[in-house]
Amino acid sequence: MTAKVSEELKIVEETTTGKPSRQRFHLLVIMLIGITVLYLDRVNISIIVADEKFLTQMGILGDPVKIGLLMTTFLGAYAIANVVLAPLGDYLGPRKSMVMAYILICISLFLGGISGSFAMLIAARIILGIGEGFYYPMQNTFVRNWFPPKERGRANSTWVVGQSLSQAVAIPIFTFLVVTFSWQSTFFFALIVSLIPLSLIWFYTADTPRKHKKVNELELKYIEEEIAKVEQDQNVNTSVKESFWERVKPFILNYQFWLLVFTFGTISIIGWGLATWLPSYLKQARGFSWAEMGWLAALPFLFGILFSASSGFLSDKIGRSAPVILLAELLCCVGVYFGTIVENNYLAAVLIAFGQGVVTMAVPAIFTLLQSMVPSKAISTAAGTLNGIAVGFGALSPVLFGFFISLTGNYSSALYFLVGAGLLGAILAGVLAMKKL
């Protein structure tokens, strides 16, 4: 009882002294941790497929198509879960949805660590895809519910940075674990770390600012009034109960939404193709050692941290997102193309790393643009649809990459395929840019 009174007095004091609470930024830190660990859980596969002992044990040594399937099956399940499960987030709320998702993720990591066959590992990857596909759209829901429109670019940049930060840190760590212990240790390490965001989300988040005990009246007023202004301009009525079709109709029938989906699809093709195959490319095609491969494979994600962080500030400053997406796609094409044709191995690695890193600049801009198109009552569904379909395209990339390697006997044709995807994305982003978005 005393603690409750103390909390109420604190809120009153903050209100009267004109100091709004800053719980939305505390939430943003938890979102950053959550996505960082989420990507940690998925990237270990790109390291262990460069380990001959693992490939031999799974019976897939010398079979690039099956190696690609380890990522493609994950991405397929991930894409379907985004579309099918994301609507639950609009009813359950992001907090419960994220907790349920992380429980599935922990189960999948345990199964991955004890896998003794290729089939069992594939099953673990499917469960991981379902869990992560359920989780990812909820990040958009939190941003849409907690941040005024003028802050969303930077908010999205902050949590998206976790995707690059995770992989920059994970690749050297997982490389060390594989060399020092075994490939199984990467799964158990990821399982232990996953308990951190699971606890933070359950104990320290709420679906909306109004439901969070530590949000005072000043912060609540600021958030809700700013969001209400935009929703009033968009003629959004949040008090009326609507059918599922009435919720999704505003974005399903919006051609600009579909341009955004297919633009994100090209980014997904590039990102997942390189995320799966870059370590093997560096080690086999460019002849780098395990130690060299470890830090060079992390380089794209160091670039990604820089470009992801700058994206939101740029979007908020110019008040538009599409030009940022267009710039990211074009710079990516330049990096990957010249990285493919140069002879110097280190320069090639840096250029491809730049291409993979700079394309992440488009991701916060895409989500910021999405959040301006879709009302809060449908944001989980819209984000799941966007991400699910885009990742569906990305799911094809690892297998197609492996197919091109098998067909031509080299990596160049596969890399040119990624350049083509980037050029298509640039065209689509250019259309959005011409619409002043």
Side-chain angles (χ1 to χ4, degrees):
M1 189 70 175
T2 305
K4 184 178 180 181
V5 172
S6 176
E7 188 67 34
E8 291 175 350
L9 288 173
K10 182 180 178 183
I11 292 173
V12 171
E13 182 183 356
E14 287 174 336
T15 303
T16 56
T17 56
K19 293 180 180 179
S21 56
R22 298 173 64 84
Q23 286 303 314
R24 66 190 185 281
F25 300 112
H26 298 169
L27 171 69
L28 195 56
V29 172
I30 295 174
M31 290 172 61
L32 173 62
I33 294 171
I35 204 70
T36 299
V37 175
L38 194 80
Y39 269 67
L40 184 77
D41 295 340
R42 67 173 69 172
V43 300
N44 69 323
I45 205 73
S46 64
I47 297 300
I48 63 177
V49 296
D51 178 26
E52 288 192 6
K53 183 182 288 187
F54 164 76
L55 297 176
T56 301
Q57 187 173 341
M58 291 295 113
I60 56 175
L61 183 64
D63 192 338
V65 174
K66 281 190 175 180
I67 294 171
L69 275 173
L70 287 171
M71 188 61 79
T72 293
T73 50
F74 159 75
L75 290 172
Y78 177 75
I80 293 170
N82 264 269
V83 177
V84 174
L85 297 181
L88 290 176
D90 290 324
Y91 295 95
L92 295 176
R95 176 175 168 267
K96 288 181 180 178
S97 300
M98 285 175 156
V99 168
M100 292 168 63
Y102 252 112
I103 291 172
L104 282 175
I105 290 166
C106 290
I107 292 171
S108 74
L109 293 171
F110 175 76
L111 293 175
I114 63 172
S115 292
S117 67
F118 181 69
M120 186 173 180
L121 190 56
I122 287 289
R125 297 291 291 171
I126 291 172
I127 296 171
L128 181 67
I130 294 170
E132 294 200 5
F134 190 19
Y135 180 96
Y136 197 89
M138 303 307 127
Q139 299 275 106
N140 280 274
T141 308
F142 266 141
V143 172
R144 182 65 174 74
N145 290 349
W146 277 78
F147 288 87
K150 62 185 178 182
E151 293 181 357
R152 287 177 186 161
R154 284 165 288 181
N156 286 317
S157 283
T158 300
W159 71 261
V160 168
V161 160
Q163 299 178 183
S164 298
L165 175 64
S166 172
Q167 294 171 95
V169 172
I171 288 176
I173 290 175
F174 286 146
T175 301
F176 169 79
L177 290 173
V178 170
V179 173
T180 308
F181 301 102
S182 66
W183 62 266
Q184 291 95 334
S185 65
T186 65
F187 285 96
F188 295 125
F189 173 80
L191 171 59
I192 293 169
V193 175
S194 295
L195 298 177
I196 297 172
L198 177 60
S199 302
L200 290 174
I201 293 165
W202 179 252
F203 289 109
Y204 297 104
T205 71
D207 293 336
T208 64
R210 186 166 287 279
K211 292 181 180 179
H212 200 292
K213 294 180 180 179
K214 293 188 178 181
V215 174
N216 69 6
E217 287 299 322
L218 288 175
E219 184 179 21
L220 183 63
K221 182 180 179 182
Y222 168 69
I223 295 170
E224 291 186 341
E225 286 186 354
E226 291 295 319
I227 293 175
K229 288 177 185 176
V230 176
E231 292 186 340
Q232 187 175 9
D233 292 339
Q234 296 174 338
N235 295 317
V236 176
N237 189 346
T238 56
S239 62
V240 178
K241 288 188 176 182
E242 298 177 328
S243 67
F244 179 76
W245 170 244
E246 289 172 327
R247 282 173 175 261
V248 303
K249 184 170 64 173
F251 69 87
I252 290 292
L253 299 181
N254 184 350
Y255 79 93
Q256 294 174 347
F257 170 78
W258 293 105
L259 285 175
L260 195 65
V261 167
F262 292 119
T263 302
F264 197 21
T266 65
I267 293 167
S268 183
I269 287 170
I270 296 166
W272 287 112
L274 290 174
T276 305
W277 285 100
L278 184 60
S280 296
Y281 170 74
L282 295 173
K283 194 167 183 293
Q284 297 172 10
R286 292 290 181 172
F288 290 109
S289 66
W290 267 101
E292 291 172 320
M293 182 272 286
W295 71 266
L296 285 171
L299 193 57
F301 309 112
L302 296 176
F303 280 122
I305 293 170
L306 173 65
F307 288 114
S308 295
S310 64
S311 172
F313 289 96
L314 186 58
S315 293
D316 286 345
K317 186 175 180 61
I318 66 176
R320 296 173 61 195
S321 298
V324 179
I325 303 169
L326 173 60
L327 179 64
E329 294 265 25
L330 290 174
L331 290 176
C332 172
C333 291
V334 171
V336 175
Y337 175 75
F338 284 102
T340 305
I341 65 175
V342 298
E343 293 186 6
N344 184 279
N345 289 333
Y346 281 102
L347 180 58
V350 171
L351 285 169
I352 293 175
F354 170 80
Q356 186 179 354
V358 74
V359 80
T360 62
M361 184 168 66
V363 178
I366 285 172
F367 291 136
T368 302
L369 187 51
L370 174 73
Q371 290 152 12
S372 68
M373 288 181 179
V374 181
S376 59
K377 58 191 175 184
I379 189 64
S380 293
T381 305
T385 303
L386 170 80
N387 199 50
I389 294 175
V391 172
F393 285 108
L396 300 174
S397 189
V399 166
L400 287 174
F401 209 105
F403 171 75
F404 282 122
I405 295 170
S406 298
L407 188 66
T408 63
N410 60 67
Y411 284 78
S412 296
S413 57
L415 292 169
Y416 291 140
F417 162 68
L418 300 185
V419 173
L423 290 174
L424 175 60
I427 293 170
L428 297 174
V431 176
L432 291 171
M434 287 190 292
K435 297 297 180 181
K436 307 296 183 182
L437 297 176

